[in-house]
Amino acid sequence: MLSKRQSKYFKSLQLKKYRQAEGKFLVEGAKGVEEVLKSDWEVEALLATSEYLKTLDKGLFRKKFDLFEVKENDLLQVGTFKSNSTGLAVVKMPEQSLNANWKEEMVLALDQINDPGNLGTIVRIADWYGIKQIVCSRDTTDVFSPKVINATMGSFTRVKVHYTDLRSFLSECERHVYGALLDGQSIYQTKLQHGVILMGSESHGISEELRPLVTHSIKIPGRGGAESLNVAVATAVVLDNFARNI
């Protein structure tokens, strides 16, 4: 059983200020837990029901972590899910700085993405298309929030998310910067090369201070009456075009 102190600690990680203070975050549900156990990320503790523990490959326990066999109600008390009969992991935040060879890869940059579901979905989409690194503005939502982590479906273990001053980053990156703008050139008519893909916020698009740093303005031509696309959907369309053309 969990002590009151342990329950309070685990539950506190739902909040950003405690995640940052402890350098830990929560991963909930079977898919996320199994992905993080298979990865090289450091797991501090695993809370799991007896039924779920029986389903896990014994090889996943090669890591050293505190194991708590708990009831479903314990998982609901410390986590964010309304239903969780499997498990919850407490994971150490890794260093999320860019890899040394980032200038040789496609990089996705995100400006003021505020919705956790959108950010998590974008991380998952990036993973699908082989994007290993995402650079976010500092006011983009926290990638380690439970809603984001859940929406990634485990892809957070394979995609590095780095927060920085986007203006400085784009000014100094010395690469093609493709910015998704409503007045851009059709992506279907643009010569696409390796570089940085910049996606803007759900409400306002790419911020005014970053637009002068865009070297290639692109858009997804629409054929119907919708005013705009969801940013995660737009990111998928843009990445698919890059994947097919370079």
Side-chain angles (χ1 to χ4, degrees), residues 148-220:
V148 176
I149 291 297
N150 179 45
T152 72
M153 294 296 289
S155 288
F156 71 90
T157 62
R158 292 177 291 274
V159 181
K160 280 194 171 186
V161 179
H162 176 60
Y163 289 80
T164 191
D165 179 350
L166 268 189
R167 183 175 183 179
S168 297
F169 171 77
L170 295 174
S171 297
E172 300 168 5
C173 73
E174 299 179 341
R175 302 191 67 188
H176 298 295
V177 178
Y178 295 88
L181 295 163
L182 291 176
D183 59 353
Q185 181 182 31
S186 169
I187 192 170
Y188 309 130
Q189 299 172 356
T190 303
K191 182 179 180 181
L192 304 176
Q193 303 177 63
H194 277 86
V196 177
I197 300 169
L198 175 62
M199 305 297 295
S201 75
E202 299 90 341
S203 302
H204 308 293
I206 296 172
S207 57
E208 291 293 338
E209 68 171 3
L210 298 183
R211 293 187 185 190
L213 302 174
V214 172
T215 61
H216 299 76
S217 298
I218 55 175
K219 70 175 180 180
I220 303 167

Side-chain angles (χ1 to χ4, degrees), residues 11 29-30 39 46 120 128 140 150 186 192 196 205 207 222-223 231 243:
K11 189 172 184 177
S39 74
L46 173 63
W128 178 264
T140 287
N150 179 45
S186 169
L192 304 176
V196 177
S207 57
R223 296 184 178 180
V231 65

Side-chain angles (χ1 to χ4, degrees), residues 16 19 110-125 134 136-152 161 163 199-205 229-233 235:
K16 183 176 181 179
R19 289 196 298 271
L110 303 178
D111 180 29
Q112 300 178 355
I113 304 302
N114 299 312
D115 183 85
N118 280 339
L119 179 58
T121 302
I122 288 171
V123 172
R124 188 178 177 187
I125 291 167
I134 298 177
C136 297
S137 62
R138 290 198 174 100
D139 50 3
T140 287
T141 195
D142 180 18
V143 70
F144 295 114
S145 77
K147 288 183 179 181
V148 176
I149 291 297
N150 179 45
T152 72
V161 179
Y163 289 80
M199 305 297 295
S201 75
E202 299 90 341
S203 302
H204 308 293
L229 285 175
N230 169 277
V231 65
V233 173
T235 300

Side-chain angles (χ1 to χ4, degrees), residues 26-145:
L26 301 177
V27 177
E28 301 175 75
K31 176 64 175 175
V33 168
E34 289 174 42
E35 288 282 3
V36 80
L37 288 176
K38 289 189 294 184
S39 74
D40 58 359
W41 289 41
E42 185 177 341
V43 176
E44 178 185 77
L46 173 63
L47 288 62
T49 62
S50 58
E51 294 80 7
Y52 179 56
L53 285 173
K54 294 174 184 177
T55 70
L56 292 175
D57 188 313
K58 301 305 179 187
L60 296 178
F61 293 88
R62 68 189 185 280
K63 297 181 177 182
K64 293 182 179 180
F65 50 78
D66 294 328
L67 178 61
F68 299 88
E69 187 172 318
V70 299
K71 301 294 185 182
E72 181 176 355
N73 188 55
D74 296 315
L75 296 176
L76 299 182
Q77 285 184 354
V78 302
T80 63
F81 282 11
K82 293 183 178 179
S83 175
N84 184 0
S85 61
T86 54
L88 175 153
V90 179
V91 185
K92 182 178 180 180
M93 294 179 185
E95 174 57 52
Q96 290 292 81
S97 59
L98 290 171
N99 292 335
N101 62 342
W102 69 270
K103 289 190 176 183
E104 301 171 11
E105 304 175 0
M106 289 297 302
V107 174
L108 181 61
L110 303 178
D111 180 29
Q112 300 178 355
I113 304 302
N114 299 312
D115 183 85
N118 280 339
L119 179 58
T121 302
I122 288 171
V123 172
R124 188 178 177 187
I125 291 167
D127 185 25
W128 178 264
Y129 284 103
I131 302 295
K132 302 297 184 183
Q133 313 206 64
I134 298 177
V135 181
C136 297
S137 62
R138 290 198 174 100
D139 50 3
T140 287
T141 195
D142 180 18
V143 70
F144 295 114
S145 77

